[in-house]
Amino acid sequence: MDKPIKLGLLGLGRAGSGMHFPELHGRQGKIQFYAVCDEIPERAQKFVDAFGSKAYATYEEMLADPEIELISIATRSCDHFAHAKAALLAGKNVMLEKPFCVNTAQVRELIALGSQPAGPHLYVRHNRRFEAGFQKVMEIIDSGKLGNVYEIKLTRNGYQRRNDWQTIHRFGGGQLLNWGPHIVDHSLRFCGGAYTKMYSEIRHVAAAGDCEDHIKIVFTGVNGRIVDMEISGGVAIPTPEYMVYGSKGTLISEKGGFLVKYLDPEKPLSPIEADPETPGSGKGFGNPEPLSWIEEHVEVNSNAGTDRVWDALYESIRHGAAYPIPLDQAAAVTEVIEKVKKDTIFA
């Protein structure tokens, strides 16, 4: 059996303790919490007690440990670049929390350091690529039952008067760098990987600080689809996470999954032609032909599955499998975010 990857985790706050800890708790045979480090030393005790992890007082000491094969970085967004660069220069593989970096110049430098065949290798934790809801939507679209999918709306919204560091610009705050990497990544997948046009607006609505908490981006994908994404902390009545419009059906999020309504493929439609004549009094509007619809509720836990990013990481490091989030795709997400910040007047 392959030996587990010895992991050094930097940052034991919400992402480190609240996400990495439970996600890797049952994966210690694959990825071992070998060492941890945080500027607040007491946070390490949870990992020492549960996994026997080494607790380092400084990042430099942890990087000097020759047993560590992989550094996972779960620090503030503004520190991602410096922490990842230091680890790569120390010869460690890196798993980098989103956002990749706060700008594309930093992204390019890290890619140059972390993409050489001999290693070390850089991985970006766009774990929502593995989200069950997103993957099910992609599966339904690819099935063809909705016909030609021409528009997709995706949202993550609610009302929150947030006041933590992620509302402060100098720390890399704002929803563009928080939920933004996930939903921009989803949008680009729906677009066919790239876009031909993009419109964006950002607003400061309800949160504290000096950053955006309402985002609207509309893409025209290279596949011709309109992809309309919204992230907001200023919406008191949340809207469905997904609405997908196709030429033969529609998908919409509902409690516990999706409602899918589509034309019965066993009952093909008759050919129709536009009639230029005046219908006359008493005539209806449109074509009176009966349509045979199928309605399905597809159950899915939309947030489940995100921890499978660690299995993909393990397979890449131990068996050479392709990691499903290529660095160029992760870089494209940062490029969109940087362009939105540059092109949009912040209000």
Side-chain angles (χ1 to χ4, degrees):
M1 182 178 178
D2 296 318
K3 63 180 181 179
I5 297 167
K6 290 184 177 179
L7 169 73
L9 174 60
L10 178 65
L12 309 179
R14 287 177 300 196
S17 291
M19 299 177 192
H20 290 58
F21 184 96
E23 289 173 357
L24 289 176
H25 194 279
R27 289 180 166 86
Q28 292 298 290
K30 289 184 174 181
I31 302 176
Q32 175 190 353
F33 275 123
Y34 177 80
V36 293
C37 180
D38 193 276
E39 62 183 16
I40 302 173
E42 308 86 74
R43 290 177 172 178
Q45 196 60 46
K46 174 180 178 180
F47 293 83
V48 173
D49 293 342
F51 309 110
S53 308
K54 288 185 177 183
Y56 281 102
T58 70
Y59 187 36
E60 292 73 20
E61 289 178 303
M62 186 164 74
L63 287 180
D65 189 330
E67 290 294 314
I68 295 174
E69 184 177 356
L70 172 70
I71 296 289
S72 185
I73 295 169
T75 52
R76 286 179 172 178
S77 302
C78 58
D79 296 323
H80 284 189
F81 170 70
H83 289 154
K85 182 177 178 179
L88 291 167
L89 290 174
K92 310 295 187 185
N93 295 314
V94 170
M95 178 63 139
L96 184 56
E97 255 290 353
K98 59 81 188 169
F100 194 157
C101 289
V102 298
N103 60 58
T104 55
Q106 293 177 347
V107 163
R108 293 189 193 103
E109 188 170 344
L110 290 187
I111 289 177
L113 290 172
S115 60
Q116 300 303 314
H121 295 126
L122 173 64
Y123 304 88
V124 180
R125 190 174 178 269
H126 282 177
N127 60 323
R128 294 271 169 186
R129 185 76 72 89
F130 298 85
E131 184 182 279
F134 167 71
Q135 292 200 339
K136 179 57 70 173
V137 171
M138 291 289 280
E139 178 187 319
I140 291 171
I141 290 172
D142 290 344
S143 75
K145 65 174 57 177
L146 301 181
N148 175 38
V149 171
Y150 57 89
E151 182 166 353
I152 300 171
K153 299 178 186 289
L154 60 162
T155 65
R156 294 294 189 282
N157 55 30
Y159 195 92
Q160 188 177 30
R161 299 181 70 238
R162 192 166 182 165
N163 64 347
D164 62 336
W165 68 261
Q166 286 188 329
T167 67
I168 302 171
H169 176 74
R170 72 177 184 273
F171 296 129
Q175 283 293 356
L176 276 169
L177 291 173
N178 184 16
W179 264 104
H182 295 310
I183 308 306
V184 170
D185 182 50
H186 287 183
S187 295
L188 291 178
R189 296 306 97 213
F190 288 135
C191 280
Y195 61 92
T196 58
K197 292 188 293 183
M198 181 179 76
Y199 161 85
S200 63
E201 293 284 347
I202 54 178
R203 296 284 186 271
H204 184 182
V205 178
D210 57 356
C211 297
E212 76 288 339
D213 62 342
H214 179 84
I215 302 160
K216 169 69 72 173
I217 307 175
V218 182
F219 301 92
T220 301
V222 293
N223 56 11
R225 287 179 188 153
I226 302 165
V227 179
D228 180 340
M229 61 157 279
E230 176 184 295
I231 301 167
S232 185
V235 178
I237 303 175
T239 55
E241 289 188 356
Y242 293 100
M243 290 186 283
V244 180
Y245 306 156
S247 59
K248 294 184 179 179
T250 296
L251 173 150
I252 187 168
S253 296
E254 61 179 13
K255 186 175 181 180
F258 305 111
L259 175 64
V260 185
K261 181 177 179 179
Y262 57 97
L263 291 167
D264 187 347
E266 300 297 322
K267 298 179 180 178
L269 300 175
S270 301
I272 57 173
E273 294 182 2
D275 186 350
E277 298 301 324
T278 301
S281 176
K283 295 288 186 178
F285 296 89
N287 182 4
E289 71 174 326
L291 298 175
S292 181
W293 294 102
I294 296 175
E295 288 194 22
E296 299 175 342
H297 172 77
V298 179
E299 291 193 14
V300 63
N301 180 350
S302 63
N303 291 316
T306 55
D307 58 331
R308 289 185 292 125
V309 68
W310 295 107
D311 300 323
L313 175 68
Y314 177 82
E315 289 300 319
S316 179
I317 292 176
R318 282 289 176 264
H319 302 136
Y323 186 63
I325 301 101
L327 290 174
D328 63 330
Q329 292 182 6
V333 171
T334 305
E335 289 167 4
V336 166
I337 290 170
E338 188 171 48
K339 182 172 175 55
V340 169
K341 287 187 173 186
K342 179 182 177 182
D343 293 352
T344 307
I345 298 174
F346 181 63

